Amino acid sequence: MSFPLLTATAAVPALGAIATAAVPAARRTVAKWLALLFSLATLVLAAVVAVRFAPGAEGPFQLTESHAWIKDFGVRYELGVDGIAVALIALTALLVPFVILAGWHDADALETVSDSGSAAGTSHQRWRPTQGFFALVLAVEAMVVISFEATDVFLFYIFFEAMLIPMYFLIGGFGDRAGTGGEEHSATLRSQAAVKFLLYNLAGGLIMLAAVIGLYAATADQLGSGTFSLTEIVQARADGKLALGTGTERLLFLGFFFAFAVKAPLWPLHTWLPGAMGESTAPVAVLITAVVDKVGTFAMLRFCLQLFPEASSWATPVVLVLALISILYGALVAVGQRDIKRLIAYASISHFGFIIMGIFAMTSQGQGGATLYMVNHGISTAALMLVAGFLISRRGSRLISDYGGVQKVAPVLAGTFLVGGLATLSLPGLAPFVSEFLVLVGTFSRYPVVGIVATVGIVLAALYVLVLYQRTMTGPVKAEVRTMPDLKARELAVVAPLIALLLFLGVYPKPLTDLVNPAVDHTLSVVDQHDPRPDVPVTADAEAAK
């Protein structure tokens, strides 16, 4: 039996979460280093997965593992990766160590706790459970990784929903304390944001569960025994053994797509994201938008398109309109934001609109660009949000108006903030430009009007990023930021590699494109879509040459 590499990649952070949670509360530093060690071990395993993966090899998935789990219901422990999954596993494993380093002191805070049973209403202060914060981060990593690996629909669903639990506690229990209105008001906002996050995603998950059961019933009816295996369902469809009725397929597609659109998030199901990111610490906000939300867009490619190809084509016009609204709405609302973190959240809504637009453009450039966008958005948003978090922790405020002239007192902080912002607006030479360009080209080749209108989002992105930088970093130095320190060694260790990656992938994206393109071609073949032929008029010389 070969070594279960994919299982190990998900199991290491899960074991790390257990080990970190078991550290005594008084040993906070031990918990931090233990969590960092396990996250680095996961990164090593993700690198091994990437090295062992052979782009273009026969079959849709590699490094597969398959074991019977719940035989009576056709549930299997079935794992496998294609190029898209490998890229997103690598992104997750790369970002989590930076999340841990950036949040090194986020849980090192005193909290006020009411004394139970005290008639006088007394209270006392205690340290927040540092080990709990880092254990929850590792638990999220484990669940996200196995979600990218799962090729059994039921197995995927379990972890797709299970990751909501640690995220709920990270938002509500370890949220941002830089808001206005005092500690009690901040605690209320954190609790509301966490509950809204949970309710929205649980609602999507319940609808998906009904669709998952419906899919099982349909396969049981036509194949003799029900199955949740993606590979078996796709193969049975290709062999003509499984033919879902048009109405059935479309209903099942809507059940899956609704859950993924909530997670992504897509307008109008986006409203939980600004609150969740705004009330989280910067590292947790990165975990939300750069890691967890990618499961939604990834699942659209892996499950929606491959399980329901006819329904995906049927829904494409509506999905493209919703994606276009997300692009423009997110960017417009970001322009008017007064809160730094909420501005980045609305910018992410706009970016997810580009990703979903690329997926449903049904072209190789669009889907390849959408996959690159998932990776590049994760890196650029992590860089911008983490630097913003360092800025907010120094001033104790998220309001843009509370800053000014920062570049004169903290030039390195301002410079890294600028690079992160320029990557967010997809400046040529930085990684997001390549992915956004491919998405627009791929969309324009099939839906030119949608592609043209979407370019307005680029103009708006330049507006909200440059205005944010101007208001916070330039101008007269405000008294409150006059003594602001520049980035420290630990903070530079977080930001510098991310900026280096943005530059490298902006100049040389070939390693990523070579990795994901075969998986994109396979997805398009399953959906029976082909790139449109260019409409080039035949010249007289060409006609004569015939």
Side-chain angles (χ1 to χ4, degrees):
M1 177 181 288
S2 60
F3 179 73
L5 182 58
L6 297 185
T7 295
T9 308
V12 166
L15 293 173
I18 296 170
T20 303
V23 175
R27 308 290 297 276
R28 294 193 301 276
T29 303
V30 173
K32 296 174 184 179
W33 282 105
L34 190 62
L36 181 61
L37 179 64
F38 273 98
S39 69
L40 291 174
T42 306
L43 178 58
V44 170
L45 286 172
V48 174
V49 169
V51 169
R52 290 191 56 187
F53 183 83
E58 185 178 352
F61 302 112
Q62 299 180 40
L63 306 177
T64 55
E65 301 173 29
S66 183
H67 307 282
W69 184 17
I70 309 175
K71 291 184 179 180
D72 292 342
F73 296 101
V75 180
R76 299 186 62 82
Y77 177 80
E78 196 169 82
L79 306 179
V81 290
D82 56 11
I84 299 170
V86 171
L88 293 175
I89 290 169
L91 172 70
T92 302
L94 174 71
L95 290 182
V96 169
F98 295 131
V99 166
I100 291 173
L101 275 175
W104 200 253
H105 298 300
D106 282 1
D108 292 345
L110 290 170
E111 59 183 0
T112 302
V113 181
S114 300
D115 294 327
S116 59
S118 173
T122 59
S123 60
H124 67 279
Q125 288 189 315
R126 71 178 183 188
W127 289 99
R128 284 197 287 171
T130 300
Q131 74 278 24
F133 174 82
F134 294 104
L136 290 169
V137 170
L138 290 173
V140 171
E141 180 181 23
M143 294 175 186
V144 169
V145 167
I146 201 166
S147 296
F148 291 141
E149 297 172 345
T151 57
D152 182 277
V153 177
F154 193 81
L155 179 68
F156 168 83
Y157 175 78
I158 289 174
F159 291 100
F160 180 79
E161 289 295 282
M163 69 180 69
L164 303 179
I165 299 171
M167 285 307 309
Y168 170 81
F169 289 108
L170 284 170
I171 297 168
F174 297 93
D176 193 5
R177 281 161 165 74
T180 59
E183 172 61 27
E184 185 175 346
H185 181 64
S186 294
T188 301
L189 292 178
R190 292 196 303 271
S191 178
Q192 291 173 348
V195 170
K196 190 172 185 179
F197 161 82
L198 188 64
L199 290 179
Y200 265 68
N201 283 275
L202 279 178
L206 288 173
I207 293 174
M208 180 181 171
L209 178 60
V212 168
I213 295 171
L215 178 64
Y216 176 82
T219 58
D221 180 58
Q222 297 192 34
L223 301 179
S225 61
T227 181
F228 292 104
S229 171
L230 174 65
T231 52
E232 289 182 11
I233 294 172
V234 171
Q235 188 60 49
R237 179 188 289 276
D239 294 341
K241 298 178 181 178
L242 178 65
L244 299 175
T246 300
T248 300
E249 180 173 338
R250 291 177 180 181
L251 285 174
L252 295 177
F253 167 86
L254 291 174
F256 277 72
F257 181 78
F258 183 85
F260 302 153
V262 171
K263 184 86 78 180
L266 177 69
W267 185 93
L269 305 172
H270 68 283
T271 57
W272 64 267
L273 182 65
M277 288 183 65
E279 301 306 323
S280 299
T281 60
V284 174
V286 169
L287 205 60
I288 294 170
T289 190
V291 176
V292 172
D293 287 353
K294 297 301 188 299
V295 178
T297 47
F298 165 80
M300 291 179 188
L301 276 166
R302 171 165 286 190
F303 296 107
C304 278
L305 268 60
Q306 297 192 42
L307 290 173
F308 316 112
E310 187 278 333
S312 298
S313 299
W314 163 76
T316 289
V318 175
V319 175
L320 288 176
V321 170
L322 295 178
L324 198 57
I325 294 173
S326 288
I327 292 169
L328 302 179
Y329 169 83
L332 280 170
V333 177
V335 171
Q337 287 300 302
R338 298 184 301 164
D339 183 307
I340 296 173
K341 289 165 70 176
R342 290 178 73 90
L343 185 152
I344 299 173
Y346 279 106
S348 289
I349 292 170
S350 181
H351 294 148
F352 275 103
F354 277 107
I355 293 171
I356 295 171
M357 183 178 74
I359 292 171
F360 282 86
M362 300 294 184
T363 61
S364 58
Q365 298 100 326
Q367 290 190 0
T371 304
L372 292 185
Y373 215 132
M374 293 186 222
V375 176
N376 294 334
H377 170 263
I379 299 170
S380 62
T381 300
L384 181 61
M385 178 60 83
L386 292 178
V387 177
F390 298 149
L391 177 69
I392 292 167
S393 66
R394 285 158 164 75
R395 174 67 176 84
S397 173
R398 305 200 306 256
L399 296 178
I400 296 173
S401 58
D402 286 342
Y403 297 88
V406 173
Q407 67 180 11
K408 297 177 182 177
V409 297
V412 177
L413 188 154
T416 52
F417 190 82
L418 178 61
V419 175
L422 293 176
T424 298
L425 64 82
S426 299
L427 183 76
L430 297 175
F433 169 76
V434 179
S435 46
E436 193 162 276
F437 178 78
L438 286 173
V439 165
L440 289 171
V441 168
T443 304
F444 183 84
S445 65
R446 194 181 291 276
Y447 303 100
V449 174
V450 176
I452 291 170
V453 176
T455 57
V456 177
I458 302 174
V459 179
L460 294 173
L463 181 61
Y464 63 69
V465 167
L466 296 178
V467 169
L468 172 64
Y469 184 83
Q470 179 190 40
R471 292 177 178 175
T472 55
M473 302 296 167
T474 65
V477 180
K478 291 202 171 184
E480 295 84 358
V481 303
R482 196 172 299 277
T483 58
M484 179 179 290
D486 212 334
L487 292 183
K488 300 175 183 177
R490 173 181 60 84
E491 296 165 334
L492 280 172
V494 170
V495 179
L498 296 175
I499 291 177
L501 270 174
L502 290 173
L503 292 168
F504 175 77
L505 293 176
V507 175
Y508 188 63
K510 189 175 184 296
L512 267 182
T513 56
D514 289 347
L515 181 65
V516 305
N517 281 343
V520 167
D521 292 339
H522 170 75
T523 302
L524 287 173
S525 68
V526 171
V527 188
D528 195 24
Q529 293 282 352
H530 308 279
D531 289 337
R533 298 180 62 181
D535 186 15
V536 180
V538 178
T539 64
D541 291 340
E543 188 67 30
K546 291 181 179 180

